[in-house]
């Protein structure tokens, strides 16, 4: 008991420390605190405007994520983790080639200024990429809010009503609320998966493809769960008296909730783990040559 309390306390202090420092309303797993805070601080109309992106941000030379200009006009830029690359705003060179050793300060660069010519439409691509992630983030956020409203409504009228009509106690109907909590959690995870997608390194093509596959697959158990929790529930609500389908409804919905929970817990774990089970094509090509394995898959999903 003591240990459980201790763990809980640590967990709570971690969560609240994060909430305090970045002002986030909901828990942001699978995103780390810093990237989540960064995502929430982006001005979405600015980031969707290629002209703004071109003028006020610069792509990290290593991972291509657009980093916003320093307020104090110093030249030293730092990419977000996990990249965390230090580079010069003016010449886009690695910062260590400027820094202390050569005696230059944060405002001086003696290299040639970088000219964005070859990648002229990079800002446009970055704005598109942001828009796409932001739209899906928003739509899943709104579905999460709907599930939240539904959960409240369940407790105030749906469950008491069903309790009357199916002759079950309110406690016996708690599985319906659990299903809707799970739907809410799924939308929350999907929502953050789009912020996660935005911060993936653009050269990590395999991870990006794998994430998209994961996002699509995650819709499958969720749609099934939704079908039970909404459509089947409504059918029961419409019936006049105790329905012979009630027991089947209960076991279908309970199973579906637990399958969905497992699916999403795995998804969160994979993402928190940085999708480390995805092997880049070059590495898998080598492995392919060595053991002459068949198939061209570079994704190891288990
Ligand atoms: C976001 O940017 C737009 C256009 O630059 C600006 O009008 C708006 O006030 C900004 N919003 C916030 C919340 O800063
Ligand atoms: C929410 O996330 C899903 C799954 O990743 C995505 O396909 C969808 O476009 C997003 N928005 C809505 C409204 O479902």
């Amino acid at each position: 008991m003591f240990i459980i309390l201790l763990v809980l306390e640590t967990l709570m202090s971690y969560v609240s420390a994060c909430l305090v420092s970045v002002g986030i309303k909901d828990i942001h797993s699978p995103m780390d605190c810093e990237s989540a805070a960064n995502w929430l601080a982006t001005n979405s109309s600015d980031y969707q405007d290629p002209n703004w992106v071109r003028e006020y941000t610069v792509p990290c030379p290593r991972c291509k994520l657009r980093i916003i200009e320093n307020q104090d006009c110093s030249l030293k830029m730092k990419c977000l983790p996990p990249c965390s690359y230090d580079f010069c705003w003016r010449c886009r060179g690695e910062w260590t080639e400027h820094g202390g050793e050569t005696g230059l300060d944060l405002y001086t660069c003696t290299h040639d200024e970088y000219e964005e010519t070859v990648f002229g439409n990079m800002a446009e691509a970055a704005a598109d990429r942001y828009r796409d992630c932001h739209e899906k983030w928003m739509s899943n956020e709104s579905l999460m809010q709907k599930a939240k409203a539904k959960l409240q409504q369940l407790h105030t009228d749906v469950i008491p009503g069903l309790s009357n009509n199916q002759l079950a106690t309110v406690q016996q109907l708690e599985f319906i609320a659990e299903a809707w909590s799970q739907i809410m959690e799924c939308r929350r995870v999907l929502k953050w998966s789009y912020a996660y997608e935005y911060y993936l390194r653009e050269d990590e093509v395999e991870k990006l493809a794998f994430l998209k596959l994961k996002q699509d697959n995650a819709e499958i158990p969720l749609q099934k769960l939704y079908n039970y929790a909404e459509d089947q529930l409504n059918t029961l609500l419409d019936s006049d008296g105790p329905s012979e389908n009630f027991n089947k409804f209960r076991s279908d919905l309970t199973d579906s909730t637990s399958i969905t929970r497992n699916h999403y817990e795995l998804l969160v774990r994979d993402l928190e783990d940085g999708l480390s089970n995805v092997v880049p094509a070059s590495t898998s090509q080598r492995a392919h040559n060595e053991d002459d394995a068949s198939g061209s898959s570079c994704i190891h999903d288990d």
Side-chain angles (χ1 to χ4, degrees), residues 41-47 49 52 56:
T42 59
N43 178 327
S44 59
S45 50
D46 282 345
Y47 275 75
D49 174 3
W52 182 89
Y56 296 105

Side-chain angles (χ1 to χ4, degrees), residues 75 88 95 98 104-110:
L75 297 174
C88 170
W95 184 259
H98 296 66
L104 295 179
D105 59 38
L106 291 174
Y107 301 91
T108 319
C109 168
T110 52

Side-chain angles (χ1 to χ4, degrees), residues 136 139-140 143 187 190 194 215 219:
K136 290 184 174 137
S139 61
N140 277 289
L143 291 175
R187 289 299 170 196
L190 286 178
Y194 286 102
Q215 286 163 333
E219 278 287 321

Side-chain angles (χ1 to χ4, degrees), residues 198-215:
Y198 178 69
Y199 292 116
L200 266 189
R201 286 175 55 168
E202 278 182 40
D203 58 347
E204 294 183 305
V205 189
E206 296 82 10
K207 286 193 180 180
L208 204 58
F210 186 60
L211 176 61
K212 284 185 184 297
L213 191 73
K214 285 268 177 195
Q215 286 163 333

